Amino acid sequence: MTDPTPASLAERVRDGEVRFHELEEHADADTAAAARRRLVAETADADVDVLGDYAFDAADAHGSNVENMIGAVQVPLGVAGPVSVDGGAFAGERYLPLATTEGALVASINRGCSVVNDAGGATARVTKSGMTRAPVFRVADVAEAEALVAWVRDNEGTLREAAESTTSHGELLDVTPYVVGNNVFLRFRYDTKDAMGMNMATIATREACDAIEAETDASLVALSGNLCADKKPAAINAVEGRGRSVSADVEVPREVVEDRLHTTPEAIAEINTRKNLVGSAKAGGLGFNAHVANAVAAMFLATGQDEAQVVEGANAITTAEATPEGDLYCSVSLASLEVGTVGGGTTLPTQAAGLDVLGVRGGGDPAGSNGDALAEAIAVGALAGELSLLAALGSRHLSSAHADLGR
């Protein structure tokens, strides 16, 4: 029997012999993707042939990264830098890979990187780490809720043993209870090393929940009770952190601000206060920054991170002040940056190349060092972007830059 072709596979789907989502059971992943493209093109009356031009085998993505694959969308990749960084895990001069379709973004971050270099480089540190999963339990009343909280506090070792039995890398750091009437939320926090760790935390927490139900009267309602909080804006992540909490800062001499950014430290500090702090507060914002999401999203796409977690990753505060000496101090603190250098999208060849540009691909030594390095690199990219945009506002060059580069 000859190998199936995209046309023959598409015909079998039309005839009801093969299901759309089961094509990989009848052909290799690339042929299955081509067959789906034909079917989608016919149904939508659209030319989707360009989606079949991609740089990796469909088998590299099928199952672990995507289902019902028909091809790949290509996002232009640029680099900013190199930028000099003094980090706890990320040090030296490196280019920052940025995948984006927004004109002027790479140029803006690149300008910020150049100014950071003229200032002697940026400093970056991961200050807290821990991936969370927060199941919600139903109890009879608040008395039973208090009893469950007491049991959890007395039996954290039991929960740790259960959770860690599911993984050879993750470690349960702590369990924090929250009571709302007859609802008890338990926020489990894990050290997931170089993995982003959401799946690891979910599987481990499920095992711990089994132990809770076996030993108490509580009933698990949902493995995720939204107090985690994953892929949603949430104040708890801004306060307690999730993934990695990371900060980067730089002190820029006054003459560099004036010569390179065409404004003053005082002007940038005032814009940051009135725009990023007061303006964000009036808007009820969780992120007090200018455009941290731009750097986070672009580096997430370039390095194979979960793009939906930009919601939490952009949960950042930018500060700026004129120093007593008249220079500019600027910092960015990202409270809940969820990144990893192993697993998920990092295994795709093009995204792995982005990690290679940073020198943080795979598991680090000691464990977690590559994940920390990636977080510090993203924080420095965000810092460069904030510095450049605040300066553009101070010099009133924002609209002209977008007119030249962003149309």
mmCIF file of all heavy atoms in Angstrom, residues 166-210:
data_model
loop_
_atom_site.group_PDB
_atom_site.id
_atom_site.type_symbol
_atom_site.label_atom_id
_atom_site.label_comp_id
_atom_site.label_asym_id
_atom_site.label_seq_id
_atom_site.Cartn_x
_atom_site.Cartn_y
_atom_site.Cartn_z
ATOM 1 N N THR A 166 5.187 13.041 42.720
ATOM 2 C CA THR A 166 4.835 13.093 41.301
ATOM 3 C C THR A 166 5.929 13.687 40.432
ATOM 4 O O THR A 166 5.802 13.713 39.208
ATOM 5 C CB THR A 166 3.560 13.927 41.094
ATOM 6 O OG1 THR A 166 3.832 15.307 41.429
ATOM 7 C CG2 THR A 166 2.420 13.419 41.966
ATOM 8 N N THR A 167 7.005 14.212 41.041
ATOM 9 C CA THR A 167 8.025 14.891 40.264
ATOM 10 C C THR A 167 9.404 14.643 40.850
ATOM 11 O O THR A 167 9.565 14.539 42.076
ATOM 12 C CB THR A 167 7.758 16.410 40.207
ATOM 13 O OG1 THR A 167 8.867 17.072 39.578
ATOM 14 C CG2 THR A 167 7.560 16.999 41.602
ATOM 15 N N SER A 168 10.390 14.558 39.983
ATOM 16 C CA SER A 168 11.769 14.389 40.448
ATOM 17 C C SER A 168 12.483 15.729 40.566
ATOM 18 O O SER A 168 13.640 15.780 40.995
ATOM 19 C CB SER A 168 12.542 13.484 39.481
ATOM 20 O OG SER A 168 12.525 14.024 38.165
ATOM 21 N N HIS A 169 11.810 16.812 40.177
ATOM 22 C CA HIS A 169 12.456 18.121 40.191
ATOM 23 C C HIS A 169 11.750 19.133 41.088
ATOM 24 O O HIS A 169 12.409 19.919 41.769
ATOM 25 C CB HIS A 169 12.532 18.688 38.760
ATOM 26 C CG HIS A 169 13.302 17.833 37.811
ATOM 27 N ND1 HIS A 169 14.663 17.678 37.886
ATOM 28 C CD2 HIS A 169 12.885 17.066 36.774
ATOM 29 C CE1 HIS A 169 15.068 16.864 36.931
ATOM 30 N NE2 HIS A 169 14.005 16.483 36.236
ATOM 31 N N GLY A 170 10.414 19.130 41.101
ATOM 32 C CA GLY A 170 9.690 20.153 41.838
ATOM 33 C C GLY A 170 9.747 19.955 43.341
ATOM 34 O O GLY A 170 9.826 18.830 43.836
ATOM 35 N N GLU A 171 9.698 21.077 44.066
ATOM 36 C CA GLU A 171 9.681 21.047 45.523
ATOM 37 C C GLU A 171 8.542 21.927 46.021
ATOM 38 O O GLU A 171 8.386 23.070 45.586
ATOM 39 C CB GLU A 171 10.998 21.561 46.095
ATOM 40 C CG GLU A 171 12.215 20.734 45.721
ATOM 41 C CD GLU A 171 13.496 21.331 46.275
ATOM 42 O OE1 GLU A 171 13.412 22.142 47.235
ATOM 43 O OE2 GLU A 171 14.579 21.024 45.749
ATOM 44 N N LEU A 172 7.735 21.398 46.939
ATOM 45 C CA LEU A 172 6.671 22.195 47.548
ATOM 46 C C LEU A 172 7.291 23.123 48.582
ATOM 47 O O LEU A 172 7.921 22.679 49.540
ATOM 48 C CB LEU A 172 5.627 21.288 48.198
ATOM 49 C CG LEU A 172 4.471 21.999 48.918
ATOM 50 C CD1 LEU A 172 3.682 22.868 47.946
ATOM 51 C CD2 LEU A 172 3.568 20.980 49.608
ATOM 52 N N LEU A 173 7.102 24.419 48.391
ATOM 53 C CA LEU A 173 7.686 25.410 49.293
ATOM 54 C C LEU A 173 6.760 25.743 50.456
ATOM 55 O O LEU A 173 7.200 25.823 51.598
ATOM 56 C CB LEU A 173 8.014 26.691 48.509
ATOM 57 C CG LEU A 173 9.041 26.529 47.374
ATOM 58 C CD1 LEU A 173 9.174 27.829 46.592
ATOM 59 C CD2 LEU A 173 10.391 26.095 47.934
ATOM 60 N N ASP A 174 5.479 25.951 50.170
ATOM 61 C CA ASP A 174 4.535 26.268 51.240
ATOM 62 C C ASP A 174 3.113 26.152 50.723
ATOM 63 O O ASP A 174 2.872 26.063 49.515
ATOM 64 C CB ASP A 174 4.791 27.676 51.817
ATOM 65 C CG ASP A 174 4.885 28.744 50.740
ATOM 66 O OD1 ASP A 174 3.915 28.894 49.968
ATOM 67 O OD2 ASP A 174 5.919 29.424 50.659
ATOM 68 N N VAL A 175 2.168 26.123 51.675
ATOM 69 C CA VAL A 175 0.737 26.086 51.360
ATOM 70 C C VAL A 175 0.068 27.178 52.193
ATOM 71 O O VAL A 175 0.155 27.160 53.423
ATOM 72 C CB VAL A 175 0.106 24.716 51.687
ATOM 73 C CG1 VAL A 175 -1.364 24.705 51.262
ATOM 74 C CG2 VAL A 175 0.873 23.583 51.022
ATOM 75 N N THR A 176 -0.585 28.119 51.524
ATOM 76 C CA THR A 176 -1.220 29.238 52.226
ATOM 77 C C THR A 176 -2.738 29.121 52.101
ATOM 78 O O THR A 176 -3.266 29.103 50.985
ATOM 79 C CB THR A 176 -0.770 30.587 51.640
ATOM 80 O OG1 THR A 176 0.662 30.661 51.680
ATOM 81 C CG2 THR A 176 -1.367 31.750 52.436
ATOM 82 N N PRO A 177 -3.457 29.028 53.225
ATOM 83 C CA PRO A 177 -4.925 28.894 53.175
ATOM 84 C C PRO A 177 -5.632 30.245 53.150
ATOM 85 O O PRO A 177 -5.172 31.226 53.741
ATOM 86 C CB PRO A 177 -5.249 28.133 54.461
ATOM 87 C CG PRO A 177 -4.140 28.491 55.402
ATOM 88 C CD PRO A 177 -2.933 28.829 54.590
ATOM 89 N N TYR A 178 -6.782 30.272 52.459
ATOM 90 C CA TYR A 178 -7.664 31.434 52.421
ATOM 91 C C TYR A 178 -9.096 30.923 52.605
ATOM 92 O O TYR A 178 -9.515 30.000 51.892
ATOM 93 C CB TYR A 178 -7.554 32.187 51.095
ATOM 94 C CG TYR A 178 -6.175 32.736 50.809
ATOM 95 C CD1 TYR A 178 -5.187 31.931 50.238
ATOM 96 C CD2 TYR A 178 -5.854 34.058 51.098
ATOM 97 C CE1 TYR A 178 -3.923 32.424 49.968
ATOM 98 C CE2 TYR A 178 -4.594 34.567 50.822
ATOM 99 C CZ TYR A 178 -3.620 33.746 50.265
ATOM 100 O OH TYR A 178 -2.367 34.237 50.000
ATOM 101 N N VAL A 179 -9.843 31.515 53.540
ATOM 102 C CA VAL A 179 -11.207 31.063 53.840
ATOM 103 C C VAL A 179 -12.213 32.127 53.425
ATOM 104 O O VAL A 179 -12.065 33.308 53.757
ATOM 105 C CB VAL A 179 -11.363 30.753 55.343
ATOM 106 C CG1 VAL A 179 -12.819 30.431 55.667
ATOM 107 C CG2 VAL A 179 -10.440 29.603 55.744
ATOM 108 N N VAL A 180 -13.235 31.691 52.686
ATOM 109 C CA VAL A 180 -14.372 32.548 52.337
ATOM 110 C C VAL A 180 -15.634 31.745 52.625
ATOM 111 O O VAL A 180 -16.058 30.911 51.825
ATOM 112 C CB VAL A 180 -14.342 32.973 50.858
ATOM 113 C CG1 VAL A 180 -15.522 33.902 50.558
ATOM 114 C CG2 VAL A 180 -13.027 33.657 50.509
ATOM 115 N N GLY A 181 -16.215 31.944 53.810
ATOM 116 C CA GLY A 181 -17.392 31.174 54.194
ATOM 117 C C GLY A 181 -17.081 29.693 54.226
ATOM 118 O O GLY A 181 -16.155 29.246 54.911
ATOM 119 N N ASN A 182 -17.859 28.907 53.455
ATOM 120 C CA ASN A 182 -17.605 27.463 53.420
ATOM 121 C C ASN A 182 -16.710 27.057 52.256
ATOM 122 O O ASN A 182 -16.712 25.905 51.826
ATOM 123 C CB ASN A 182 -18.929 26.684 53.380
ATOM 124 C CG ASN A 182 -19.747 26.991 52.136
ATOM 125 O OD1 ASN A 182 -19.396 27.863 51.348
ATOM 126 N ND2 ASN A 182 -20.860 26.270 51.981
ATOM 127 N N ASN A 183 -15.938 28.019 51.751
ATOM 128 C CA ASN A 183 -14.923 27.759 50.727
ATOM 129 C C ASN A 183 -13.539 27.890 51.350
ATOM 130 O O ASN A 183 -13.259 28.893 52.031
ATOM 131 C CB ASN A 183 -15.026 28.771 49.583
ATOM 132 C CG ASN A 183 -16.381 28.771 48.929
ATOM 133 O OD1 ASN A 183 -16.702 27.900 48.138
ATOM 134 N ND2 ASN A 183 -17.204 29.766 49.278
ATOM 135 N N VAL A 184 -12.695 26.913 51.113
ATOM 136 C CA VAL A 184 -11.308 27.000 51.561
ATOM 137 C C VAL A 184 -10.408 26.857 50.341
ATOM 138 O O VAL A 184 -10.445 25.845 49.633
ATOM 139 C CB VAL A 184 -10.960 25.908 52.594
ATOM 140 C CG1 VAL A 184 -9.486 26.017 52.997
ATOM 141 C CG2 VAL A 184 -11.854 26.043 53.819
ATOM 142 N N PHE A 185 -9.606 27.904 50.099
ATOM 143 C CA PHE A 185 -8.636 27.895 49.011
ATOM 144 C C PHE A 185 -7.262 27.615 49.613
ATOM 145 O O PHE A 185 -6.891 28.222 50.625
ATOM 146 C CB PHE A 185 -8.611 29.246 48.300
ATOM 147 C CG PHE A 185 -9.915 29.636 47.664
ATOM 148 C CD1 PHE A 185 -10.916 30.253 48.428
ATOM 149 C CD2 PHE A 185 -10.159 29.406 46.324
ATOM 150 C CE1 PHE A 185 -12.120 30.621 47.866
ATOM 151 C CE2 PHE A 185 -11.357 29.775 45.742
ATOM 152 C CZ PHE A 185 -12.346 30.385 46.508
ATOM 153 N N LEU A 186 -6.516 26.729 48.994
ATOM 154 C CA LEU A 186 -5.155 26.414 49.443
ATOM 155 C C LEU A 186 -4.190 26.752 48.314
ATOM 156 O O LEU A 186 -4.206 26.110 47.268
ATOM 157 C CB LEU A 186 -5.036 24.941 49.829
ATOM 158 C CG LEU A 186 -5.956 24.469 50.958
ATOM 159 C CD1 LEU A 186 -5.797 22.967 51.165
ATOM 160 C CD2 LEU A 186 -5.666 25.224 52.258
ATOM 161 N N ARG A 187 -3.377 27.758 48.533
ATOM 162 C CA ARG A 187 -2.450 28.195 47.480
ATOM 163 C C ARG A 187 -1.108 27.484 47.665
ATOM 164 O O ARG A 187 -0.302 27.852 48.520
ATOM 165 C CB ARG A 187 -2.282 29.716 47.522
ATOM 166 C CG ARG A 187 -1.679 30.324 46.260
ATOM 167 C CD ARG A 187 -1.795 31.844 46.304
ATOM 168 N NE ARG A 187 -1.528 32.464 45.018
ATOM 169 C CZ ARG A 187 -0.431 33.173 44.721
ATOM 170 N NH1 ARG A 187 0.505 33.328 45.649
ATOM 171 N NH2 ARG A 187 -0.269 33.708 43.537
ATOM 172 N N PHE A 188 -0.893 26.450 46.868
ATOM 173 C CA PHE A 188 0.348 25.686 46.881
ATOM 174 C C PHE A 188 1.391 26.439 46.061
ATOM 175 O O PHE A 188 1.115 26.888 44.949
ATOM 176 C CB PHE A 188 0.130 24.302 46.260
ATOM 177 C CG PHE A 188 -0.671 23.337 47.099
ATOM 178 C CD1 PHE A 188 -2.043 23.495 47.246
ATOM 179 C CD2 PHE A 188 -0.049 22.274 47.734
ATOM 180 C CE1 PHE A 188 -2.787 22.599 48.011
ATOM 181 C CE2 PHE A 188 -0.775 21.374 48.497
ATOM 182 C CZ PHE A 188 -2.154 21.538 48.638
ATOM 183 N N ARG A 189 2.607 26.524 46.587
ATOM 184 C CA ARG A 189 3.696 27.203 45.871
ATOM 185 C C ARG A 189 4.889 26.259 45.748
ATOM 186 O O ARG A 189 5.328 25.655 46.735
ATOM 187 C CB ARG A 189 4.111 28.487 46.599
ATOM 188 C CG ARG A 189 5.120 29.347 45.836
ATOM 189 C CD ARG A 189 5.293 30.700 46.505
ATOM 190 N NE ARG A 189 5.941 30.585 47.802
ATOM 191 C CZ ARG A 189 7.259 30.720 48.003
ATOM 192 N NH1 ARG A 189 8.070 30.985 46.990
ATOM 193 N NH2 ARG A 189 7.752 30.611 49.216
ATOM 194 N N TYR A 190 5.420 26.140 44.511
ATOM 195 C CA TYR A 190 6.473 25.172 44.217
ATOM 196 C C TYR A 190 7.708 25.842 43.626
ATOM 197 O O TYR A 190 7.603 26.811 42.861
ATOM 198 C CB TYR A 190 5.985 24.148 43.188
ATOM 199 C CG TYR A 190 4.816 23.308 43.626
ATOM 200 C CD1 TYR A 190 3.505 23.754 43.432
ATOM 201 C CD2 TYR A 190 5.002 22.062 44.214
ATOM 202 C CE1 TYR A 190 2.420 22.993 43.827
ATOM 203 C CE2 TYR A 190 3.914 21.287 44.602
ATOM 204 C CZ TYR A 190 2.631 21.757 44.412
ATOM 205 O OH TYR A 190 1.550 20.985 44.792
ATOM 206 N N ASP A 191 8.851 25.266 43.947
ATOM 207 C CA ASP A 191 10.087 25.559 43.216
ATOM 208 C C ASP A 191 10.124 24.581 42.049
ATOM 209 O O ASP A 191 10.253 23.365 42.247
ATOM 210 C CB ASP A 191 11.303 25.366 44.122
ATOM 211 C CG ASP A 191 12.621 25.658 43.408
ATOM 212 O OD1 ASP A 191 12.604 25.909 42.178
ATOM 213 O OD2 ASP A 191 13.680 25.612 44.060
ATOM 214 N N THR A 192 9.990 25.092 40.821
ATOM 215 C CA THR A 192 9.934 24.227 39.641
ATOM 216 C C THR A 192 11.230 24.273 38.838
ATOM 217 O O THR A 192 11.255 23.866 37.671
ATOM 218 C CB THR A 192 8.744 24.614 38.752
ATOM 219 O OG1 THR A 192 8.849 26.002 38.393
ATOM 220 C CG2 THR A 192 7.423 24.389 39.485
ATOM 221 N N LYS A 193 12.298 24.787 39.437
ATOM 222 C CA LYS A 193 13.626 24.821 38.808
ATOM 223 C C LYS A 193 13.564 25.582 37.484
ATOM 224 O O LYS A 193 13.047 26.679 37.441
ATOM 225 C CB LYS A 193 14.180 23.403 38.635
ATOM 226 C CG LYS A 193 14.066 22.528 39.876
ATOM 227 C CD LYS A 193 14.706 23.123 41.108
ATOM 228 C CE LYS A 193 14.535 22.229 42.326
ATOM 229 N NZ LYS A 193 15.002 22.863 43.570
ATOM 230 N N ASP A 194 14.086 24.982 36.394
ATOM 231 C CA ASP A 194 14.150 25.685 35.115
ATOM 232 C C ASP A 194 12.884 25.556 34.287
ATOM 233 O O ASP A 194 12.785 26.144 33.211
ATOM 234 C CB ASP A 194 15.354 25.190 34.291
ATOM 235 C CG ASP A 194 16.661 25.765 34.796
ATOM 236 O OD1 ASP A 194 16.729 26.986 35.024
ATOM 237 O OD2 ASP A 194 17.621 24.998 34.965
ATOM 238 N N ALA A 195 11.921 24.781 34.757
ATOM 239 C CA ALA A 195 10.635 24.693 34.064
ATOM 240 C C ALA A 195 9.731 25.829 34.503
ATOM 241 O O ALA A 195 9.797 26.273 35.653
ATOM 242 C CB ALA A 195 9.969 23.354 34.356
ATOM 243 N N MET A 196 8.876 26.309 33.579
ATOM 244 C CA MET A 196 7.843 27.255 34.001
ATOM 245 C C MET A 196 6.995 26.604 35.070
ATOM 246 O O MET A 196 6.634 27.231 36.060
ATOM 247 C CB MET A 196 7.005 27.698 32.796
ATOM 248 C CG MET A 196 5.928 28.713 33.121
ATOM 249 S SD MET A 196 4.360 27.950 33.553
ATOM 250 C CE MET A 196 3.767 27.448 31.942
ATOM 251 N N GLY A 197 6.632 25.324 34.894
ATOM 252 C CA GLY A 197 6.147 24.515 36.001
ATOM 253 C C GLY A 197 4.659 24.448 36.234
ATOM 254 O O GLY A 197 4.228 23.868 37.228
ATOM 255 N N MET A 198 3.842 25.016 35.328
ATOM 256 C CA MET A 198 2.400 24.999 35.575
ATOM 257 C C MET A 198 1.863 23.574 35.587
ATOM 258 O O MET A 198 1.090 23.190 36.469
ATOM 259 C CB MET A 198 1.688 25.830 34.505
ATOM 260 C CG MET A 198 0.229 26.105 34.793
ATOM 261 S SD MET A 198 -0.060 27.157 36.215
ATOM 262 C CE MET A 198 -0.261 25.991 37.550
ATOM 263 N N ASN A 199 2.265 22.767 34.612
ATOM 264 C CA ASN A 199 1.796 21.374 34.590
ATOM 265 C C ASN A 199 2.336 20.593 35.789
ATOM 266 O O ASN A 199 1.619 19.787 36.396
ATOM 267 C CB ASN A 199 2.220 20.687 33.284
ATOM 268 C CG ASN A 199 1.448 21.215 32.089
ATOM 269 O OD1 ASN A 199 0.375 21.779 32.233
ATOM 270 N ND2 ASN A 199 2.011 21.042 30.910
ATOM 271 N N MET A 200 3.585 20.833 36.124
ATOM 272 C CA MET A 200 4.195 20.170 37.271
ATOM 273 C C MET A 200 3.422 20.486 38.545
ATOM 274 O O MET A 200 3.098 19.589 39.344
ATOM 275 C CB MET A 200 5.659 20.617 37.418
ATOM 276 C CG MET A 200 6.437 19.908 38.508
ATOM 277 S SD MET A 200 8.066 20.674 38.797
ATOM 278 C CE MET A 200 8.833 20.511 37.197
ATOM 279 N N ALA A 201 3.086 21.765 38.740
ATOM 280 C CA ALA A 201 2.358 22.188 39.937
ATOM 281 C C ALA A 201 0.948 21.604 39.963
ATOM 282 O O ALA A 201 0.442 21.227 41.026
ATOM 283 C CB ALA A 201 2.308 23.712 39.999
ATOM 284 N N THR A 202 0.319 21.525 38.809
ATOM 285 C CA THR A 202 -1.041 20.991 38.740
ATOM 286 C C THR A 202 -1.074 19.513 39.124
ATOM 287 O O THR A 202 -1.915 19.079 39.923
ATOM 288 C CB THR A 202 -1.610 21.181 37.321
ATOM 289 O OG1 THR A 202 -1.664 22.584 37.031
ATOM 290 C CG2 THR A 202 -2.996 20.580 37.201
ATOM 291 N N ILE A 203 -0.169 18.731 38.555
ATOM 292 C CA ILE A 203 -0.136 17.290 38.832
ATOM 293 C C ILE A 203 0.213 17.030 40.293
ATOM 294 O O ILE A 203 -0.399 16.180 40.960
ATOM 295 C CB ILE A 203 0.871 16.603 37.891
ATOM 296 C CG1 ILE A 203 0.367 16.693 36.438
ATOM 297 C CG2 ILE A 203 1.094 15.145 38.291
ATOM 298 C CD1 ILE A 203 1.404 16.310 35.406
ATOM 299 N N ALA A 204 1.178 17.780 40.812
ATOM 300 C CA ALA A 204 1.589 17.601 42.207
ATOM 301 C C ALA A 204 0.459 17.986 43.164
ATOM 302 O O ALA A 204 0.209 17.299 44.172
ATOM 303 C CB ALA A 204 2.832 18.430 42.493
ATOM 304 N N THR A 205 -0.241 19.065 42.854
ATOM 305 C CA THR A 205 -1.326 19.521 43.721
ATOM 306 C C THR A 205 -2.483 18.527 43.723
ATOM 307 O O THR A 205 -3.129 18.310 44.762
ATOM 308 C CB THR A 205 -1.812 20.911 43.279
ATOM 309 O OG1 THR A 205 -0.707 21.827 43.334
ATOM 310 C CG2 THR A 205 -2.919 21.416 44.177
ATOM 311 N N ARG A 206 -2.743 17.900 42.598
ATOM 312 C CA ARG A 206 -3.806 16.888 42.541
ATOM 313 C C ARG A 206 -3.519 15.750 43.521
ATOM 314 O O ARG A 206 -4.416 15.279 44.228
ATOM 315 C CB ARG A 206 -3.878 16.334 41.112
ATOM 316 C CG ARG A 206 -4.789 15.142 40.919
ATOM 317 C CD ARG A 206 -6.254 15.534 41.004
ATOM 318 N NE ARG A 206 -6.921 14.912 42.122
ATOM 319 C CZ ARG A 206 -8.229 14.768 42.219
ATOM 320 N NH1 ARG A 206 -9.028 15.224 41.274
ATOM 321 N NH2 ARG A 206 -8.772 14.198 43.275
ATOM 322 N N GLU A 207 -2.267 15.350 43.613
ATOM 323 C CA GLU A 207 -1.892 14.281 44.540
ATOM 324 C C GLU A 207 -2.068 14.737 45.988
ATOM 325 O O GLU A 207 -2.547 13.974 46.841
ATOM 326 C CB GLU A 207 -0.442 13.867 44.289
ATOM 327 C CG GLU A 207 -0.041 12.547 44.912
ATOM 328 C CD GLU A 207 -0.653 11.338 44.230
ATOM 329 O OE1 GLU A 207 -1.169 11.474 43.102
ATOM 330 O OE2 GLU A 207 -0.619 10.235 44.832
ATOM 331 N N ALA A 208 -1.697 15.988 46.265
ATOM 332 C CA ALA A 208 -1.866 16.519 47.618
ATOM 333 C C ALA A 208 -3.344 16.641 47.985
ATOM 334 O O ALA A 208 -3.731 16.392 49.138
ATOM 335 C CB ALA A 208 -1.176 17.880 47.727
ATOM 336 N N CYS A 209 -4.178 16.994 47.007
ATOM 337 C CA CYS A 209 -5.617 17.093 47.263
ATOM 338 C C CYS A 209 -6.220 15.737 47.622
ATOM 339 O O CYS A 209 -7.129 15.645 48.467
ATOM 340 C CB CYS A 209 -6.329 17.669 46.043
ATOM 341 S SG CYS A 209 -6.024 19.435 45.777
ATOM 342 N N ASP A 210 -5.718 14.689 46.991
ATOM 343 C CA ASP A 210 -6.189 13.339 47.334
ATOM 344 C C ASP A 210 -5.912 13.040 48.808
ATOM 345 O O ASP A 210 -6.747 12.442 49.505
ATOM 346 C CB ASP A 210 -5.508 12.302 46.450
ATOM 347 C CG ASP A 210 -6.014 12.333 45.011
ATOM 348 O OD1 ASP A 210 -7.062 12.958 44.769
ATOM 349 O OD2 ASP A 210 -5.352 11.741 44.135
#
